[in-house]
Amino acid sequence: MPVAPNSNSAPAVATPASAHRYKNSAEDLLHSTEQSLWELLMTLSMRTFVAAAVGILSAATSANAITNGVGKLPVMGYNAWNAFACNVNDTLIIQTAKYMKEYGLLDIGYNHVNLDDCWAMKNRSSTGEVMSDSIRFPSMKKLTDQLHALGFHAGIYSDSGWFTCAGYPGSFMHEEQDAMTFQSWGFDFLKYDNCAIPFDDIIREGMVGKYQRMADALAAVAKKTGTTLIFSLCEWGWSHVWLWGAQISHSWRIDNDIAPQWNSLSSIINSVSFITQATDHYGRNDLDMLEIGNGDLTYDEAKTHFTVWALVKAPLLIGTNLATISQEMLSILKNQEIIAVNQDPIYGTSISPFRWGNNPDWTYDATHPAQYWSGPSEKGTVFMLINTLDEPANLSFNLTESPWIRAGIQYSVRDLWTHTNNGTAVRSFTAMNVPAHGVVALLLNEDGNEPAGLVPPCAGEALSQCTAQDGTKYS
């Protein structure tokens, strides 16, 4: 991290008095001596340097206020909304945490249990404090103590407006008060929604400023208490949040609420395909909570759902009733080879499309999103192939279509769903008979030079410019 220049070693900056002589008109400056011009340039250069240094320090300080070492990797855990909506209480939350331990989910990284809307009383106290429902959540501190004792972090929900989406008190104009309350109750995570937006002549802020209010409040609480909460924005992809979300939060929703149907999943996949570069360690696109185990998703659709969310490095928050989840759906959530990519400590970036497939590249199509994706990981180059069609299909690609693959090298192929090593790929790979709405996830690693004498001598797009050392183009 950059540090402030030492006052004993920093070059001198012109004082207002010494700078006064540079108020001359443009005509006077043209007739200035060479020495005074040199002094002017040096003064302006130093001012620019100092301004840049201050800007860098300010940005670094802001980033540290957000992270404090918190939120490097995507959150994994549970959120009750998709399964229970407002029908929640402390008993249900603790029982869900116990299921997570029993099923081995905690052991593989699902270590958050988060409340969503409807936990509060409808009115604040006489002194403005938000209060938990006296019947369903009589003691939030007791709840978080129990969750912590079980090995989990605890998450809570609020809203940037007057009210939450279900009509409970929002945090607008109570940001620091609520942040301090959440910290005193023992919460580690805050999901922050986007309902009941105040009138323009009240808020006088854009979307960034509206969320900055709580970011500042959380930073103030962190300074006072030493506790930094993970901050998750839920503003549904408004105002190009992927451009600014990382400045004030650890994750940001990019689209409307998810539903347990394929058309909802494909629409979200389409949305994220254009903004993958926004994700990295400490800040990431949030594709919404998982619907695995809900609705009428097929096994293959659920696999695709989990694979995309994990490999684009989105948060992985289970959202089904764990009391009734099937072993088939549970097995999807427990794929540790897929989870390892999501939780990669070296590469925080998302995989990205290298070819759209059914459509010309860069086509916005909520029904048939990009099919061919890749990206680097700690353990090799990751590939994801999605069959967006309603029938089985073969999916083929040239290896060097991915920018992460080296020409002239053959690659070993690991299937992250069958957990098998599937031989060596030379120049291309074909996944046969991929089910409708199904997925293939592969890990490729260099496995020596490709065989000598292959024709053509260049693979993929390079063929159009394939040239011998003497300048002869291959044709």
Side-chain angles (χ1 to χ4, degrees), residues 13-23 43 47:
V13 180
T15 64
S18 62
H20 180 72
R21 55 192 163 131
Y22 301 122
K23 293 194 304 180
T43 299
R47 285 174 172 169

Side-chain angles (χ1 to χ4, degrees), residues 32-33 41 51 76 88 114 133 142 159 165 182 188 201 239 243 255 291 295 312 324 330 356 358 372 390 417 424 439:
S32 297
T33 65
L41 289 171
M76 296 176 60
V88 290
N114 298 341
D133 187 288
K142 180 180 178 181
D159 195 286
C165 296
F182 301 152
D188 312 289
D201 62 355
S239 301
L243 299 179
D255 213 331
E291 290 280 18
V312 302
T324 59
L330 187 60
W356 261 244
N358 287 318
Y372 297 88
D390 297 332
W417 277 107
T424 302
V439 73

Side-chain angles (χ1 to χ4, degrees), residues 447-467:
D447 193 22
N449 293 338
E450 65 181 24
L454 292 181
V455 176
C458 301
E461 291 180 327
L463 185 59
S464 66
Q465 292 295 322
C466 192
T467 307

Side-chain angles (χ1 to χ4, degrees), residues 16-30:
S18 62
H20 180 72
R21 55 192 163 131
Y22 301 122
K23 293 194 304 180
N24 303 336
S25 67
E27 182 178 354
D28 292 335
L29 283 174
L30 287 173

